[in-house]
Amino acid sequence: MSAFLEKLWEIAPALVEGTPHARELGIKFVAVDKGLGTLSMPYNDTLIGDPRSRVIAGGAVTTLLDQACGMAAIAGFDGFAQLATLSLRIDYQRAAKPGKTVMAEAVCYKTTRHVAFIRAIAHDGDPDDPVATAQSCFMLTGPLYKVPSKAGQTAGKEDKTS
Amino acid sequence: MSQKTATDLISAIPYAKTLGIEVEYKEDGLLLILPYLKSNIGNPTLPALHGGAIGGFMEVCAMAELGRRAPDLPFSKPIGINIDYLRRGKPVTTYARATIFKEGARVANVRVRAWQESEDKPIAALSGHFLVPKKR
């Protein structure tokens, strides 16, 4: 695992916890890997969008997917940076089952100098039976901070190629 | 519909309460209001509202506008939505208004615009298809 991924694993829970709206919805960090981000959102009454069926709101799934896509984008850029969502497309395959934790798994499959392209799914237990699928673009809004490998000498310095 | 039924429609949705959404009834459509709440922030450094909160707000706006036409039926459900983020969501009040582009028997196409200082400077836009509940 790269030095950056090790560092990301270390601070990712705080990145999610430090995002007020993610904390408000109860979103939790699960995992990161190269270009991958996984988050979870336990069922909560405050997320309900349809009081008759007690199904959570599409908007809550939107936020979970947005947050997971952002995490995957950071992992894809291979450095720490401020990001902004440019676009987000979501297809809702079915209602999330009331009471179930929803997971979002995002894959950053391409990054350019300033833009990351991400695919994601949200499911409530079985990734082969998703609740929603998403496609998003994120943009860097500031400098990209690379984490040097342990032998490296550019500790904490801004990557000039970004 | 009246201001009261519009308020009842929104306050029936726990998620809308979580975001702090308010509604103003207008003859030509509903004006949805998202007062600034710290809990809707996505980037505390800038600061900026969370893209998910803005997206969720616009989804509620679309569903409320569809619900306005049939308050007794269950809510419409989103099928596929596209959200474009145009400007940073500042930590101030955000507004949204939905336009129903096409209303079919099962599916409606809705466009939503969200803005802060001025309606002609949108911070985000949503377009999407929603499954409309069957009339009995």
Side-chain angles (χ1 to χ4, degrees), chain A residues 53-109:
Chain A
S53 62
R54 303 187 65 75
V55 168
I56 63 169
V61 179
T62 301
T63 298
L64 176 68
L65 284 165
D66 185 34
Q67 190 78 24
C69 286
M71 185 63 79
I74 290 175
F77 277 123
D78 203 32
F80 294 100
Q82 298 281 349
L83 299 175
T85 318
L86 281 183
S87 66
L88 179 61
R89 163 147 197 107
I90 302 181
D91 290 295
Y92 297 94
Q93 273 84 49
R94 63 173 177 84
K97 294 184 192 94
K100 293 267 194 179
T101 293
V102 182
M103 309 275 296
E105 298 177 13
V107 184
C108 175
Y109 59 90

Side-chain angles (χ1 to χ4, degrees), chain B residues 13-132:
Chain B
I13 311 171
Y15 173 72
K17 210 175 277 179
T18 304
L19 290 185
I21 297 174
E22 294 168 6
V23 62
E24 213 169 280
Y25 175 77
K26 309 253 183 189
E27 278 299 312
D28 56 342
L30 298 177
L31 176 68
L32 278 271
I33 304 158
L34 183 73
Y36 167 64
L37 287 181
K38 194 172 176 286
S39 56
N40 286 338
I41 289 288
N43 182 331
T45 335
L46 285 174
L49 295 178
H50 199 291
I54 298 169
F57 172 54
M58 292 193 295
E59 271 177 63
V60 170
C61 180
M63 287 157 74
E65 186 58 37
L66 290 167
R68 183 177 79 97
R69 299 169 172 223
D72 301 327
L73 292 176
F75 288 111
S76 308
K77 295 173 187 161
I79 301 167
I81 58 162
N82 261 305
I83 304 170
D84 290 320
Y85 294 94
L86 309 167
R87 290 180 175 87
R88 169 170 73 97
K90 293 177 196 155
V92 297
T93 305
T94 310
Y95 303 90
R97 206 193 292 275
T99 308
I100 297 171
F101 250 48
K102 193 224 166 189
E103 193 169 16
R106 300 306 316 274
V107 173
N109 182 275
V110 186
R111 310 274 156 113
V112 183
R113 169 193 288 247
W115 73 92
Q116 294 184 323
E117 280 90 3
S118 157
E119 189 164 354
D120 54 20
K121 279 190 172 169
I123 62 157
L126 175 150
S127 82
H129 285 101
F130 291 77
L131 191 65
V132 182

Side-chain angles (χ1 to χ4, degrees), chain A residues 73-152:
Chain A
I74 290 175
F77 277 123
D78 203 32
F80 294 100
Q82 298 281 349
L83 299 175
T85 318
L86 281 183
S87 66
L88 179 61
R89 163 147 197 107
I90 302 181
D91 290 295
Y92 297 94
Q93 273 84 49
R94 63 173 177 84
K97 294 184 192 94
K100 293 267 194 179
T101 293
V102 182
M103 309 275 296
E105 298 177 13
V107 184
C108 175
Y109 59 90
K110 169 76 184 169
T111 55
T112 66
R113 203 183 279 203
H114 300 291
V115 181
F117 301 86
I118 303 109
R119 271 190 294 267
I121 67 156
H123 64 84
D124 53 10
D126 179 4
D128 293 329
D129 182 21
V131 165
T133 48
Q135 168 78 46
S136 66
C137 295
F138 278 71
M139 194 182 73
L140 282 179
T141 56
L144 186 66
Y145 294 94
K146 294 276 190 179
V147 177
S149 59
K150 277 164 189 127

